[in-house]
Each structure stands twice: as structure tokens, then as C-alpha cells.
């Protein structure tokens, strides 16, 4: 029997966020997914055969978030997945790109929580997405590495401020079957070779790990690395 309240997936139109929305829709939960445009949201809702509702807002425009979330009712699980990747190296620093991603993940994620606070209750839980670039930077990951570290800071702040609401974050490794990695075979092969399990993380792995964080009553303030053990090598 589904719990009271919706599962809200911010960045649920495609890839990992869509798979999370699909998992909860298929298990009978009320699902609200969000994206940046009416077209991407409607396409995701059609792919779910209407088993979810959708909202449109830009996380990088934080002032637009609260009005856009007004139609949402009680929220049981909130998942903040969205990213608009910023390829940015410190030697060629691009301020607009850095500002957009930093605003999106750090101010935008925080504002979604703030805007929905009156619809969360003591049993609600939140999962926010970082990524392994937080621990394994590469040239071009200046902003991505920074915001993924910021997601951890935000997680700890919210655990403290929102108790007893549980707040966790997840750092996926390279998710081999996610669309971003299509046509990047060399990077996938190199990662698989370095990963102790000898396999790449899948979107299904991330859905399972997200559900584990959302639904386990004792998990709070966890920064979960889901990377097949790459971080331990
Ligand atoms: N894929 C990986 O291998 C990997 C590895 C490590 C970490 N991660 C993390 O996992 C999460 C999901 O990654 P993914 O590859 O599944 O993402 P993705 O395919 O790039 O999907 C991004 C989602 O975010 C939404 N979005 C983008 N910019 C937005 C904005 N400004 N405002 C509101 N929504 C916005 C998109 O909506 P539209 O469709 O409307 O644009 C879409 O729903 C990210 O936080 C990423 O950092 C992924």
C-alpha cells in the first residue's frame, strides 16, 4: 500500500530521474515529475501512460520555483536529480556556465525544499544527487566537482534544520546505460576496467539505491557512493 503523499522527482523527464519516477508510478504511488519545458515534461508523462503529473520550472531561476510548485499536495518523498552539465575548467573559466549550474544545484535544490516545506511531514524524506566528480575531478569538472561537494553540505544543513525529516545524498559513479554516456565508449571501458566489480553502474542500480535511501527509516545524513567500489581503489 503506497504511503501518504506524492513522490516528487525534480528532473524526472529523462534518464535517471525518469527511471525513478517510473519505478514509483509502477508501484502505485502518486508521482509528480518536473522538467525545464512543457515539451519534455509532456513526453515523460506520455511515456508513463499518464500515471504521473508534471510541472515546469527552471531551477536556475529560483524565484520561479515556489509558484510552479503551488499545485503540489502532501509530499512523502522528494528526489532532486536535475543537472544541466557545465564543462568548465579553471584556466578557461566561463562565468555564465558556472553561475547557472551552481544556482541550479545549490540554490535551486534548496529553494525546492524551502517551497515544499509546508507539504512535508515528519515521515517525509529527501534525496539529493551529487556525483563521483566530487571525489574524482577531471579537467573541466570545476563546477561539477564544486556543486557535488556543495550537495553534501546542503544535506548536512538540512538534516540539522529539518529534523526529524530525513535527508540523504547519493553520488553515482558513471552510469553506463544513461543517455549522457552514449557514444563515450572509451570512457566507459576505462571506468569498467578500474571498477572492482568489473561492471558499470546502471540506472536500475541508482533507482534501487535511491529507494533504499528514501525508504529506510534509519538512514539520515548518508552520502552514498554508488560506483561499484571505484572509490575504494
Ligand atoms: N549519468 C551519470 O552517469 C551520472 C553520474 C554521476 C552523477 N550523476 C547525477 O545524476 C543526476 C541525473 O543525471 P542524468 O544523467 O540522469 O541527467 P540528465 O539526463 O542530464 O537529466 C537531467 C534532468 O534535469 C532536468 N533539468 C536540467 N536542467 C534543468 C533546470 N535548469 N531546471 C530544471 N530541470 C532541469 C532535465 O529536464 P529537461 O528534460 O526538461 O531538460 C532532466 O529531467 C544528476 O544530478 C547528475 O549530476 C549522473
Amino acid at each position: 500500500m503506497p504511503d501518504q503523499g506524492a513522490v516528487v522527482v525534480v528532473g524526472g523527464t529523462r534518464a535517471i530521474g525518469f527511471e525513478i519516477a517510473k519505478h514509483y508510478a509502477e508501484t502505485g504511488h502518486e508521482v509528480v515529475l518536473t522538467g525545464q519545458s512543457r515539451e519534455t515534461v509532456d513526453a515523460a508523462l506520455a511515456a508513463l501512460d499518464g500515471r504521473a503529473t508534471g510541472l515546469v520550472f527552471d531551477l536556475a531561476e529560483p524565484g520561479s520555483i515556489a509558484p510552479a510548485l503551488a499545485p503540489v499536495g502532501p509530499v512523502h518523498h522528494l528526489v532532486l536529480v536535475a543537472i544541466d552539465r557545465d564543462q568548465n575548467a579553471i584556466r578557461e573559466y566561463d562565468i555564465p556556465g558556472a553561475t547557472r549550474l551552481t544556482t541550479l544545484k545549490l540554490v535551486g535544490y534548496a529553494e525546492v525544499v524551502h517551497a515544499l516545506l509546508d507539504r512535508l511531514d515528519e515521515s517525509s524524506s529527501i534525496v539529493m544527487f551529487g556525483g563521483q566528480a566530487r571525489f574524482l575531478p577531471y579537467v573541466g569538472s570545476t563546477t561539477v566537482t564544486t556543486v557535488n561537494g556543495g550537495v553534501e553540505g546542503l544535506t548536512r544543513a538540512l538534516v540539522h534544520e529539518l529534523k526529524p525529516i530525513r535527508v540523504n545524498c547519493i553520488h553515482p559513479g558513471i552510469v553506463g546505460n544513461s543517455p549522457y554516456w552514449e557514444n563515450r565508449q572509451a570512457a566507459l571501458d576505462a571506468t569498467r576496467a578500474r571498477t572492482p566489480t568489473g561492471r558499470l553502474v546502471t540506472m536500475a542500480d541508482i533507482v534501487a539505491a535511491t529507494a533504499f535511501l528514501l525508504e529506510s527509516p534509519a538512514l539520515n545524513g548518508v552520502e552514498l557512493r554508488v560506483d561499484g567500489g571505484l572509490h575504494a581503489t
Side-chain angles (χ1 to χ4, degrees):
M1 183 70 180
D3 303 294
Q4 292 282 54
V7 180
V8 177
V9 184
V10 175
T13 57
R14 53 185 150 95
I16 295 168
F18 178 79
E19 293 301 318
I20 294 168
K22 185 174 164 202
H23 164 78
Y24 279 104
E26 286 178 343
T27 49
H29 293 75
E30 178 190 349
V31 171
V32 180
L33 62 83
T34 84
Q36 296 184 84
S37 75
R38 195 69 256 169
E39 292 70 29
T40 55
V41 168
D42 285 348
L45 298 181
L48 293 175
D49 298 323
R51 287 173 300 184
T53 55
L55 297 170
V56 178
F57 57 84
D58 182 350
L59 282 163
E61 299 288 341
S64 71
I65 293 173
L69 288 170
V72 177
V75 175
H76 192 51
H77 297 312
L78 171 61
V79 193
L80 293 148
V81 196
I83 188 165
D84 186 359
R85 288 177 177 81
D86 173 44
Q87 181 74 19
N88 213 331
I90 203 70
R91 291 182 197 283
E92 298 103 28
Y93 199 55
D94 170 51
I95 294 173
T99 303
R100 181 167 172 81
L101 178 56
T102 305
T103 306
L104 185 166
K105 272 230 177 181
L106 300 186
V107 183
Y109 278 20
E111 172 57 11
V112 170
V113 175
H114 167 253
L116 288 176
L117 267 185
D118 61 354
R119 281 151 282 173
L120 302 174
D121 67 24
E122 294 192 348
S123 70
S124 300
S125 62
I126 301 169
V127 166
M128 298 188 284
F129 270 66
Q132 79 171 13
R134 184 243 181 282
F135 309 98
L136 294 176
Y138 50 88
V139 174
S141 78
T142 304
T143 319
V144 173
T145 296
T146 300
V147 298
N148 288 346
V151 164
E152 281 191 7
L154 183 57
T155 299
R156 291 179 198 191
L158 297 186
V159 166
H160 184 66
E161 290 190 43
L162 298 184
K163 57 192 173 193
I165 292 171
R166 295 181 301 103
V167 187
N168 295 293
C169 68
I170 184 165
H171 295 296
I174 284 179
V175 182
N177 65 346
S178 64
Y180 180 75
W181 292 100
E182 262 174 32
N183 307 318
R184 290 178 161 93
Q185 198 56 44
L188 295 180
D189 291 344
T191 302
R192 186 186 294 106
R194 291 170 55 208
T195 302
T197 53
R199 66 185 279 281
L200 293 168
V201 174
T202 66
M203 292 198 286
D205 297 332
I206 301 302
V207 173
T210 303
F212 171 63
L213 292 174
L214 287 171
E215 296 171 21
S216 305
L219 294 185
N220 196 18
V222 171
E223 295 144 5
L224 187 64
R225 303 190 204 182
V226 185
D227 63 1
L230 185 60
H231 71 276
T233 61

